[in-house]
Amino acid sequence: MTTIIDGNEIADQIRADVRECTHRLDDEGVTPGLATVLMSDDGGSETYVSMKQQACKEIGIEGIHHEIDPDEPADVLFDRIDQLNEDPAVHGILVQMPVPDHVDKRTVLERIDPMKDVDGFHPENVGRLVAGNARYKPCTPHGIQKILAAYDIDTEGKDAIVVGRSDIVGKPMANLFIQRDESGNATTTVCHSRTDDLAAKTRSADIVVAAAGVPEMIDGSMLSEDVTIIDVGITRVDADTEKGYELVGDVDFESAKEKASAITPVPGGVGPLTIAMLMYNTTKAASLQSGVPVDLP
């Protein structure tokens, strides 16, 4: 019997735990503040920011949203980040990607105060993660760890394959898997667009994290029996539905679930955890910056 992992249920529990921590901070006169910055007219980006702001309201975090015309010079964005770095009411800063082509993404990430980098992408925070002393774990990989823990899926000694090498998911996920930690200790391989014979690699895995952004690139023939599948991908594809499309992951769900012991659906699997862990990181940032301890799970 294949277990279909319910990401919404796990995310709801994390939000409830985080809400208790925001109440504890509030009792000490500290309201966690998350500033989102949007320099894009992309509809998808606007939706993501709106979802993050809504999550703030539900949990007790002060959401502060800033919009910058995408035609403005890069310095306008950098100046806004500098202002937010200096604002004591702002504990976390999130610049929604992508930014316009004339704005250097790496400079954006480096401009954010590492203490307020709740995405965990500043070079200082990346270094701390690799060294095994993370300040803020990137939200999606951390959410995946929460999924595995919630379903008692042990990683120690297991063969884990991460398909995708992005800075957002693939690289940090691989680093977390190899940490000397109860949620790590896995023998980890990172596969990507240049990997030769991907199917041979994925068939050897106990755990597959698919995060390449290629719809349904992995099917049941590429998997071993009783594998755990964590599908991070989400792509809109044309379909004969009322909306005219459907959302699919990087894994062909129907064929893969015939092999899997546990699998995340798309949607409703990994996605809800990403925003929940952003709330987690923002609350942790408020605790670190205020000196008020909280008991985050």
Side-chain angles (χ1 to χ4, degrees):
M1 181 70 71
T2 303
T3 299
I4 309 300
I5 291 170
D6 188 342
N8 286 304
E9 182 179 16
I10 304 167
D12 286 346
Q13 182 58 58
I14 291 169
R15 289 177 190 237
D17 292 339
V18 171
R19 192 178 297 112
E20 289 186 12
C21 293
T22 63
H23 291 164
R24 157 79 175 133
L25 288 164
D26 191 57
D27 289 343
E28 297 294 328
V30 178
T31 300
L34 174 66
T36 55
V37 183
L38 179 66
M39 193 178 184
S40 170
D41 52 15
D42 174 70
S45 294
E46 292 173 356
T47 299
Y48 291 144
V49 168
S50 176
M51 291 168 63
K52 291 164 185 174
Q53 288 292 331
Q54 181 60 36
C56 287
K57 291 179 183 178
E58 294 170 357
I59 285 179
I61 293 172
E62 181 68 27
I64 310 116
H65 182 53
H66 298 262
E67 292 191 11
I68 299 173
D69 191 305
D71 293 328
E72 291 281 6
D75 283 345
V76 174
L77 174 58
F78 298 149
D79 289 345
R80 185 65 54 86
I81 293 171
D82 290 344
Q83 293 166 11
L84 296 172
N85 283 337
E86 296 300 320
D87 187 345
V90 174
H91 302 99
I93 301 170
L94 185 151
V95 178
Q96 184 65 45
M97 297 295 170
V99 289
D101 291 342
H102 65 277
V103 180
D104 182 67
K105 174 185 173 182
R106 291 194 179 277
T107 303
V108 173
L109 299 178
E110 292 171 2
R111 196 85 172 206
I112 298 171
D113 182 340
M115 289 295 295
K116 298 189 178 189
D117 165 42
V118 288
D119 266 333
F121 298 152
H122 187 284
E124 179 180 316
N125 288 326
V126 173
R128 290 178 64 111
L129 175 72
V130 173
N133 184 31
R135 177 185 285 133
Y136 310 119
K137 295 178 182 178
C139 300
T140 301
H142 195 184
I144 291 169
Q145 286 190 309
K146 294 295 187 183
I147 287 172
L148 296 174
Y151 281 80
D152 295 322
I153 298 169
D154 190 15
T155 57
E156 183 167 349
K158 299 297 179 62
D159 288 317
I161 299 287
V162 179
V163 184
R165 52 180 169 179
S166 72
D167 294 335
I168 297 172
V169 181
K171 291 178 184 177
M173 189 73 255
N175 272 295
L176 289 172
F177 270 145
I178 65 172
Q179 296 291 338
R180 196 187 300 268
D181 184 85
E182 63 180 2
S183 58
N185 291 319
T187 301
T188 306
T189 302
V190 178
C191 299
H192 45 75
S193 60
R194 304 299 175 87
T195 296
D196 184 41
D197 197 356
L198 175 63
K201 306 292 192 303
T202 53
R203 284 192 203 101
S204 71
D206 301 304
I207 300 169
V208 173
V209 176
V214 180
E216 300 181 327
M217 67 178 295
I218 298 171
D219 63 27
S221 71
M222 301 169 65
L223 301 166
S224 64
E225 295 289 342
D226 297 326
V227 64
T228 295
I229 303 170
I230 306 295
D231 192 350
V232 181
I234 183 164
T235 305
R236 180 185 293 188
V237 299
D238 294 337
D240 186 18
T241 64
E242 184 177 337
K243 293 181 179 180
Y245 68 86
E246 63 180 359
L247 299 175
V248 302
D250 286 3
V251 176
D252 176 56
F253 183 82
E254 292 303 323
S255 65
K257 76 176 182 179
E258 298 301 317
K259 292 284 191 71
S261 59
I263 185 171
T264 57
V266 176
V270 175
L273 274 298
T274 298
I275 292 180
M277 300 319 297
L278 175 64
M279 301 300 106
Y280 179 109
N281 281 353
T282 301
T283 304
K284 183 177 182 180
S287 173
L288 291 174
Q289 291 166 49
S290 67
V292 177
V294 295
D295 188 19
L296 283 162

